[in-house]
Amino acid sequence: DSLNVTGCTFTGVNEAVALVQTTELSPGASGPSSMFVFERNNSTANKGVYIIDAQSPKICNNNLECGSGPGAGGEQALVSILGQAKRIFGAEVTGNAILHAPNCTTGVFLGNTDGALVENNIFGIAATGYAIVVSPDAKNARIGFNTYQPTGTGREVQDLGVGTKGVLKNATLLSGWSNVDGLEQARFIKGLDGVVRLSGIIGGGTVTFGTELFALPGGVRPKNRQ
């Protein structure tokens, strides 16, 4: 009983495919009674897909290209998963060509979501903005392997969420410690397996017992002091 949009071509200039799904649980059911699947569609010169509310939406294997203007909604994204009325769980954006350059500021926007997966997509990064924006309302987002064109812009992911997995971040060093020139910078990443890994070479700081080198953000810290 899912809502499936498959194999369609959308040609409306600067229009968006917008969805507000109001279906609740079926009587006596323990899980969502339906979900939204947007798959193998071709959308050119459009504002993209605007998911305002939905059950576990899946945006898979589409070709999405922006028109002369920005993407849908205030987020100006080609794929915006907003979660306006309540949090959206288990959203997936996988296997898409999301070509938002040069006019659209954002490829994928994750709003009020939990456990969203963005993986195996091709992004064409615009001159401004980011390929993926994880908002402060997003929890436990998972950013897997994606292809970014051009590479090395530094605007692949803007992570403002809590506990985001798959994003390598630079540590903000404290107590006089700094990165060592020519060597790997101090960084951390929460993998898709939930394990946090630290790497890098630092030096020059205070060595007194108990000195703080840097602090991990919320959602990346262990439950207990180690």
Side-chain angles (χ1 to χ4, degrees):
D1 58 356
S2 297
L3 173 61
N4 294 272
V5 179
T6 305
C8 299
T9 298
F10 297 92
T11 59
V13 176
N14 289 328
E15 295 180 353
V17 179
L19 176 75
V20 181
Q21 185 177 2
T22 58
T23 303
E24 297 294 336
L25 301 183
S26 298
S30 59
S33 58
S34 62
M35 66 181 184
F36 175 62
V37 178
F38 189 83
E39 184 175 24
R40 298 195 305 276
N41 298 291
N42 183 43
S43 178
T44 60
N46 300 118
K47 290 188 174 183
V49 184
Y50 193 35
I51 310 299
I52 300 171
D53 284 302
Q55 304 270 17
S56 304
K58 314 296 182 188
I59 313 299
C60 307
N61 305 315
N62 302 283
N63 178 59
L64 304 174
E65 303 178 37
C66 71
S68 59
E75 304 76 37
Q76 298 185 349
L78 266 183
V79 177
S80 180
I81 303 179
L82 190 60
Q84 180 173 279
K86 57 185 178 181
R87 193 178 298 278
I88 295 175
F89 291 87
E92 293 184 10
V93 182
T94 58
N96 303 282
I98 301 174
L99 307 176
H100 58 110
N103 303 305
C104 182
T105 57
T106 305
V108 172
F109 175 85
L110 299 179
N112 186 22
T113 59
D114 194 333
L117 173 66
V118 182
E119 187 174 53
N120 293 329
N121 302 285
I122 299 175
F123 289 94
I125 303 178
T128 59
Y130 291 83
I132 303 170
V133 174
V134 183
S135 80
D137 296 324
K139 294 183 178 180
N140 307 312
R142 297 171 292 159
I143 310 299
F145 174 80
N146 297 282
T147 299
Y148 303 97
Q149 300 172 347
T151 60
T153 63
R155 292 180 287 104
E156 290 80 9
V157 181
Q158 183 183 44
D159 179 22
L160 305 174
V162 178
T164 302
K165 300 177 181 178
V167 179
L168 186 63
K169 300 181 181 181
N170 293 328
T172 300
L173 300 175
L174 306 172
S175 307
W177 289 88
S178 61
N179 291 296
V180 178
D181 290 343
L183 299 178
E184 183 184 2
Q185 294 186 347
R187 295 176 175 178
F188 61 92
I189 185 171
K190 185 175 184 179
L192 298 187
D193 56 4
V195 175
V196 177
R197 295 171 174 84
L198 313 177
S199 62
I201 305 294
I202 62 176
T206 302
V207 295
T208 305
F209 178 79
T211 297
E212 292 187 3
L213 305 181
F214 60 90
L216 293 169
V220 184
R221 302 168 185 166
K223 292 182 179 179
N224 302 304
R225 189 175 184 89
Q226 305 294 315

